[in-house]
Amino acid sequence: GVQTCALPISEINDEFGDILFSLINYARHNNIDPEQSLNSATEKFKKRFNSLEKIVESNGLKIKDISEKKLNDFWEKSKKINS
């Protein structure tokens, strides 16, 4: 399950910002276009999610009514279809 953190949200946001900054620097030093990488990842996610919706619908179900485990199973199928 999801674990909670004892840190204040402001500290968590600061740490997350540091991670993002580090990733951008890594990309810059390795000739990776971070914007293009994010756009590609977003498109891949959209395709997978659309596929997930079709899989769920073809099973006569609705996403909101599916258990987390079943949703993860369908997500894995979607990833295989859209790899």
Side-chain angles (χ1 to χ4, degrees), residues 11-51:
E11 287 184 43
I12 295 170
N13 284 333
D14 287 346
E15 291 299 321
F16 189 75
D18 289 346
I19 292 169
L20 290 175
F21 183 77
S22 296
L23 287 171
I24 296 300
N25 268 334
Y26 176 85
R28 188 171 55 92
H29 289 293
N30 289 282
N31 297 316
I32 299 168
D33 181 345
E35 184 176 4
Q36 178 58 43
S37 295
L38 182 58
N39 288 337
S40 294
T42 301
E43 286 303 311
K44 181 170 57 173
F45 176 83
K46 286 168 37 177
K47 285 179 186 176
R48 288 178 175 174
F49 191 82
N50 287 336
S51 178

Side-chain angles (χ1 to χ4, degrees), residues 2 10 20-21 25 32 35 38-39 42 45-46 48 50 52-54 56-57 59-62 67 69 76 79-80 82:
V2 177
S10 61
L20 290 175
F21 183 77
N25 268 334
I32 299 168
E35 184 176 4
L38 182 58
N39 288 337
T42 301
F45 176 83
K46 286 168 37 177
R48 288 178 175 174
N50 287 336
L52 169 78
E53 288 179 314
K54 289 176 185 172
V56 169
E57 188 177 287
N59 282 272
L61 302 168
K62 294 184 179 184
S67 70
K69 182 190 178 327
E76 289 303 319
K79 285 171 54 177
K80 288 178 184 171
N82 294 285

Side-chain angles (χ1 to χ4, degrees), residues 62-76:
K62 294 184 179 184
I63 290 177
K64 66 179 182 150
D65 299 328
I66 300 174
S67 70
E68 186 176 338
K69 182 190 178 327
K70 193 65 175 172
L71 191 59
N72 283 333
D73 291 343
F74 287 147
W75 182 252
E76 289 303 319

